[in-house]
Amino acid sequence: MTHCAEVELVGACWRAVHEVGGGALVDGVSALRAAGEAAGAGLPRTRPAIAALRAAQWAVSDRQAALYLAVPVQQRLVTGAQLEAALEQYPGRRRRAFVATIVADVVDGAHSLGELDVAALCRRRRLPEPERQVVVTGSGGRSYLDVRWREGLVVEVDGRQHLEGLAPVQDMLRQNSVSMSGDVVLRIPLLGMRLEPDAFVDQVEAALTLLRGRAPR
């Protein structure tokens, strides 16, 4: 019997495994998609962490590669620790440095480096050197601003932990408090800094230009 309807993902994967034979495994993006479907539980496939790394290395662009690394962690298909361990096992052949950087960002072990990266990007533009980890006191007590210029510009670098649990609530309370004190607050996600660094630094430069006429506080 000829089957003319669209073949669903799991069915297509099973067909590929049977056609190739010899212990074939579904890998890359297909393995990640199958991991998110209950019907794919018995499908021979690579572990999600390895599949994510290979999908990133086979991706057509850095933007797509970052997506393949970040989304599986966000969807709880793989933990950051598993992704980090898999990278040690499978460094791959393509975009090694970029993949390692994004994995560190996703795991959030590189969060403190984000502030240094902002400063380095601004230094290349010959912008003023900012202060880092500036202490401010608000209604919720003491908190730290990632990067601040004396002109009244604050840049917050958002790693993965800023999206979890009640973190967005606390972030918004702090941002609102800082904004009411007169500072302009810009937010840069770590992934955004990797994929669109020039666009974000353009915003920093534009904000500094707008604020330059204000007296330092």
Side-chain angles (χ1 to χ4, degrees):
M1 183 178 74
T2 303
H3 180 70
C4 297
E6 182 179 353
V7 180
E8 294 183 355
L9 170 68
V10 174
C13 289
W14 273 112
R15 185 178 68 183
V17 167
H18 289 311
E19 287 179 352
V20 175
L25 298 173
V26 175
D27 204 349
V29 178
S30 296
L32 290 175
R33 291 179 61 194
E37 299 184 19
L43 182 70
R45 62 178 187 268
T46 54
R47 291 179 289 114
I50 292 292
L53 290 175
R54 286 179 175 155
Q57 289 158 353
W58 298 338
V60 298
S61 67
D62 285 351
R63 181 183 295 274
Q64 189 180 73
L67 188 70
Y68 290 153
L69 292 169
V71 170
V73 175
Q74 293 168 354
Q75 294 181 345
R76 304 283 198 276
L77 294 180
V78 62
T79 67
Q82 289 169 340
L83 200 59
E84 201 170 35
L87 184 61
E88 294 183 7
Q89 174 188 344
Y90 177 75
R93 295 181 179 180
R94 297 187 60 207
R95 51 169 65 94
R96 285 188 178 185
F98 180 80
V99 167
T101 296
I102 299 301
V103 168
D105 289 348
V106 169
V107 172
D108 222 20
H111 175 61
S112 61
L113 294 180
E115 304 147 21
L116 301 177
D117 292 338
V118 169
L121 288 170
C122 292
R123 198 176 299 119
R124 288 211 297 266
R125 292 280 189 95
R126 299 188 177 182
L127 298 177
E129 190 76 16
E131 297 179 85
R132 293 192 292 271
Q133 289 295 300
V134 178
V135 180
V136 294
T137 302
S139 58
R142 286 159 54 94
S143 60
Y144 295 86
L145 304 178
D146 290 338
V147 178
R148 185 183 184 276
W149 281 263
R150 64 176 184 171
E151 287 87 348
L153 175 64
V154 171
V155 169
E156 291 283 79
V157 182
D158 291 346
R160 183 171 61 89
Q161 88 282 3
H162 288 272
L163 303 176
E164 297 180 342
L166 298 178
V169 176
Q170 296 304 315
D171 284 347
M172 292 305 103
L173 285 171
R174 183 177 68 237
Q175 178 173 333
N176 292 346
S177 178
V178 171
S179 296
M180 286 187 292
S181 75
D183 281 356
V184 171
V185 181
L186 299 181
R187 306 191 76 90
I188 304 179
L190 274 174
L191 286 180
M193 196 157 57
R194 306 308 179 200
L195 298 175
E196 299 284 354
D198 289 333
F200 281 108
V201 177
D202 284 345
Q203 292 184 334
V204 171
E205 187 170 10
L208 285 172
T209 298
L210 288 173
L211 292 169
R212 200 151 281 150
R214 279 181 16 174
R217 290 180 292 110

